Amino acid sequence: MIPPAFILVRPQMGENIGAAARAMLNFGLERMRIVDPRDGWPNPAAVALASGAGRVLDAAGVYGSVQTAIADCDFVFATTARGRELTKPIYSPEAAMAHARALTAAGKKVGVLFGPERAGLENDDVVQANAIVTVPVNPDFASLNLAQCVLLMGYEWRRQTEVVPAIVQEMARTEFASAVEVEKLGDHFEERLEAAGFFFPAAKVAGMKASLRNMWSRLGLTRAEVQTFHGMLRQIAFRLREQDKD
């Protein structure tokens, strides 16, 4: 499977090219193509902003036109926020990269066009694409920075090719407490609360204890947290004993 080529069309600032390279490498993309860069190539400003992604710039192909840059592509997306009077399918970034993944899995080559910073892709660029990608941005401020747009498309590509759980529970070198450990903590709390005269009146004691037990089981405590609670109770009891001696 050949990942998509990200094609920067007439980019104006080397800094944005470098930032785009960094964004690409963040998501495992290294096939950059540059069409007619305003300040020529190579560009020292691009290298400075790439920040460790220099190999993307080193391997980048430089082309004189969009036509030559996409010549080997079987399917091309054009990213644009502006409305076009062109009859083409318009994809969301997610749908575009899902389709790109299906195409590349079938051995096809995919290109994604990104327009210059000042005004984006021109109609002459867009007509050469098979489909348009539009981001659902604020219509009153629809312009995206070049590197931001590359980052967004790279993220969507990575989402389509990596299985990432929606939520991961980090345990910070511990593990969840067992039911027995939570039960023992409940016993310890009841013991200290009994000594402090907390359970009153007698008619409500059973319900109060049940509520506390329910709270402990619901919290999902780690073993470290259980030990911390035990330590807190022991320290409180120690201080109270010391005060009684005085």
Side-chain angles (χ1 to χ4, degrees):
M1 184 172 66
I2 302 174
F6 277 22
I7 305 164
L8 312 187
V9 179
R10 297 181 299 279
Q12 297 170 316
M13 297 178 64
E15 291 86 349
N16 281 332
I17 300 172
R22 183 177 181 178
M24 288 175 62
L25 195 56
N26 281 152
F27 299 105
L29 293 163
E30 300 189 36
R31 300 179 65 230
M32 174 183 281
R33 298 179 181 182
I34 306 170
V35 176
D36 191 21
R38 183 191 66 182
D39 297 334
W41 194 258
N43 188 314
V47 176
L49 264 290
S51 186
R55 70 172 186 258
V56 176
L57 300 179
D58 292 341
V62 181
Y63 298 80
S65 67
V66 171
Q67 184 177 15
T68 55
I70 65 172
D72 66 335
C73 294
D74 299 297
F75 196 97
V76 177
F77 293 100
T79 61
T80 175
R82 294 186 294 168
R84 307 284 181 176
E85 294 184 1
L86 298 171
T87 303
K88 288 185 184 294
I90 299 176
Y91 286 70
S92 69
E94 180 180 12
M97 292 299 94
H99 188 45
R101 187 183 191 285
L103 289 167
T104 56
K108 303 295 184 181
K109 294 182 179 180
V110 175
V112 184
L113 299 175
F114 299 88
E117 296 90 325
R118 184 178 60 83
L121 294 171
E122 298 177 358
N123 270 1
D124 288 345
D125 304 318
V126 180
V127 295
Q128 299 181 67
N130 301 97
I132 289 171
V133 183
T134 296
V135 179
V137 293
N138 176 7
D140 295 326
F141 191 66
S143 178
L144 284 175
N145 172 271
L146 172 60
Q148 290 175 330
C149 192
V150 168
L151 180 75
L152 191 153
M153 296 299 290
Y155 166 73
E156 291 295 348
W157 166 258
R158 189 75 173 185
R159 282 212 313 144
Q160 299 298 329
T161 55
E162 293 287 323
V163 178
V164 180
I167 300 174
V168 177
Q169 178 68 56
E170 292 291 345
M171 297 304 296
R173 298 182 299 280
T174 187
E175 58 188 16
F176 284 116
S178 67
V180 171
E181 289 169 325
V182 174
E183 182 183 4
K184 294 298 183 184
L185 176 62
D187 293 341
H188 195 174
F189 256 90
E190 285 187 12
E191 177 187 343
R192 299 306 181 193
L193 292 174
E194 286 274 14
F198 176 77
F199 295 115
F200 181 85
K204 294 185 177 180
V205 171
M208 295 169 73
K209 290 184 177 181
S211 293
L212 285 170
R213 294 287 179 168
N214 183 60
M215 179 185 71
W216 296 126
S217 64
R218 190 180 70 246
L219 288 177
L221 297 171
T222 66
R223 301 186 74 177
E225 290 166 342
V226 166
Q227 292 305 313
T228 298
F229 274 118
H230 280 301
M232 291 163 58
L233 291 171
R234 285 191 291 267
Q235 185 64 21
I236 290 170
F238 171 76
R239 287 298 183 186
L240 290 175
R241 287 194 300 270
E242 291 296 306
Q243 290 176 8
D244 288 343
K245 291 177 182 179
D246 296 339

